[in-house]
Amino acid sequence: MSFACGAARSDHWGLAAKACLDGVGLAVAGANLGIVYVAERFAPDLSSVLTFLRETTRINAWVGAAVPGVVAGDAELRGGDAMAVMVGRLPEDSFLPFTNADLAAFSIRMAPWLKRQGATLAMVHANPREAALPASLVAAADGIGFLTGGLVGAAEERAQVAGQVVGGALSGLVLGTKVQAVTGLTQGCAPLGGQHLVTEAWDAALMSLDGRPAIEVLKEEAGELIARDLKRAAGYIHVALPVAGSDRGDYQVRSLLGIDPRNGWLVVGDELRLGSRLMFVRRDPQTARADLARMLADVTRRLDGRRPLAAHYVTCTGRGEAMFGAAGIEAAMVQQALGPDVPLIGYFANGEISGERLYGYTGVLTVLVGP
């Protein structure tokens, strides 16, 4: 089992794809799996990209998507001209590209392969425009097991690759039990205070917490500067939904979409339920860097002497340069922790997936390991 990765920028998809393959070279003899991520401007050309890669490499099994930005090695390539390609060799019949375009038949289609191979996890690409996405995540987690991935480009109806160019809520790559993997999740926000009980809400509108107007609780925890000018909260203060049963205090970040000072209400980027709990959090570069270092140390510890073969990293569009101050810092930290010889590919996402849950302002790492 071995992998190699290449990345490039070009105004034309063909030149970018050729440069990616030049970067890969002949490093992987007998490669049987390919992963490709292209800038969203190349989404209309995704079928042409896939045909070129398949005919040039003779690899039939490809997965990938059009994405807001790509990660390759210690580089973060944002903008409309980026592409990254990874090719590798895994044991035959140890992996399976999939799509759940027909959700009702999803489990039936997967059942024979899963019965033979079992599943380690699935690396998935999700369409943020699909109303069926939450149900698809639950179905995939129930049928396969642990999920890692993110929300990919939404500019085109068919912007994912799973053997061919596909649409639908979810697609990706299932890894069988012959392929071992270690995963990690890192947060990008810091809690402002403790958890609060939702005592009045309707859909995404949050009226009261702990029996008090929601805006009063926000002002108390956000501090005097933001309390005097609530416009300062935009893009800085968010809502977090604690993950029940998490031993690390994980939470799912949701955007604070609106503030109604007259009624004391808040509008949150998710449906809220009476009796649920939430916190207010802030974007915090120092906390994000420290938590990334913590996650990487935990992943390398759990490798337990096994050799990393390849890595896949999904990070939020609100991270990268916007959070760490310069492009490449986040990717470089991941690459340094794993080692310079470990091929790394990934992308910037509009939401990150770990387990069956959708997160925000997080990074999700998957490391394939050898014996």
Side-chain angles (χ1 to χ4, degrees):
M1 295 189 287
S2 57
F3 287 81
C5 182
R9 289 186 181 275
S10 176
D11 289 336
H12 190 275
W13 69 263
L15 296 176
K18 183 179 184 304
C20 286
L21 292 185
D22 288 344
V24 169
L26 301 177
V28 183
N32 57 5
L33 171 65
I35 301 174
V36 56
Y37 295 118
V38 305
E40 288 182 287
R41 66 169 285 190
F42 292 144
D45 305 304
L46 200 50
S47 290
S48 298
V49 172
L50 180 59
T51 298
F52 173 81
L53 294 175
R54 182 179 285 131
E55 291 183 353
T56 305
T57 64
R58 302 301 178 186
I59 297 172
N60 289 321
W62 285 89
V63 295
V67 294
V70 304
V71 175
D74 60 1
E76 299 168 5
L77 307 179
R78 306 286 287 267
D81 58 356
M83 185 180 301
V85 171
M86 177 181 280
V87 300
R89 184 177 69 251
L90 291 174
E92 293 296 333
D93 204 31
S94 68
F95 60 92
L96 180 68
F98 78 93
T99 175
N100 75 335
D102 179 7
L103 184 57
F106 173 66
S107 297
I108 296 175
R109 292 199 312 274
M110 294 292 296
W113 188 88
L114 290 171
K115 185 176 181 179
R116 292 195 312 271
Q117 297 295 332
T120 303
L121 58 79
M123 298 189 297
V124 301
H125 309 114
N127 184 348
R129 298 190 302 179
E130 284 283 344
L133 178 58
S136 296
L137 291 177
V138 172
D142 287 345
I144 298 172
F146 200 82
L147 311 180
T148 64
L151 305 185
V152 297
E156 296 286 327
E157 184 67 31
R158 294 164 61 84
Q160 304 168 41
V161 176
Q164 58 185 338
V165 176
V166 299
L170 199 67
S171 68
L173 181 73
V174 183
L175 300 176
T177 52
K178 292 180 181 178
V179 183
Q180 299 181 33
V182 175
T183 70
L185 170 73
T186 179
Q187 300 277 6
C189 296
L192 290 172
Q195 296 184 16
H196 302 284
L197 184 70
V198 176
T199 48
E200 188 177 3
W202 182 76
D203 197 9
L206 175 61
M207 292 86 161
S208 72
L209 292 169
D210 305 326
R212 302 170 54 205
I215 198 169
E216 289 186 6
V217 180
L218 170 64
K219 286 181 176 181
E220 283 183 5
E221 295 196 347
E224 184 179 352
L225 186 64
I226 289 178
R228 289 201 310 263
D229 183 5
L230 290 173
K231 293 179 181 178
R232 292 177 178 268
Y236 176 65
I237 304 297
H238 303 278
V239 170
L241 310 178
V243 174
S246 171
D247 57 0
R248 295 197 309 265
D250 285 345
Y251 49 83
Q252 300 168 268
V253 176
R254 297 294 184 261
S255 296
L256 186 59
L257 300 179
I259 299 175
D260 182 353
R262 181 178 178 181
N263 292 306
W265 298 353
L266 306 175
V267 181
V268 177
D270 203 341
E271 184 176 348
L272 300 172
R273 292 179 292 105
L274 292 180
S276 62
R277 294 190 172 272
L278 61 76
M279 303 183 295
F280 292 108
V281 298
R282 71 177 187 275
R283 289 185 60 187
D284 188 322
Q286 289 74 35
T287 298
R289 187 187 287 252
D291 195 65
L292 176 57
R294 174 209 59 78
M295 182 269 282
L296 293 171
D298 180 61
V299 167
T300 54
R301 177 187 60 79
R302 288 187 286 124
L303 288 174
D304 195 26
R306 294 172 294 176
R307 179 172 61 95
L309 301 174
H312 185 264
Y313 188 61
V314 180
T315 186
C316 181
T317 54
R319 290 171 64 95
E321 182 176 5
M323 179 167 285
F324 295 94
I329 290 178
E330 184 176 13
M333 288 180 65
V334 178
Q335 186 74 81
Q336 183 178 8
L338 297 175
D341 296 330
V342 178
L344 170 66
I345 195 171
Y347 58 95
F348 286 88
N350 296 305
E352 302 74 59
I353 297 166
S354 181
E356 63 182 42
R357 297 183 176 91
L358 182 63
Y359 290 81
Y361 294 101
T362 61
V364 179
L365 177 64
T366 304
V367 182
L368 307 185
V369 296

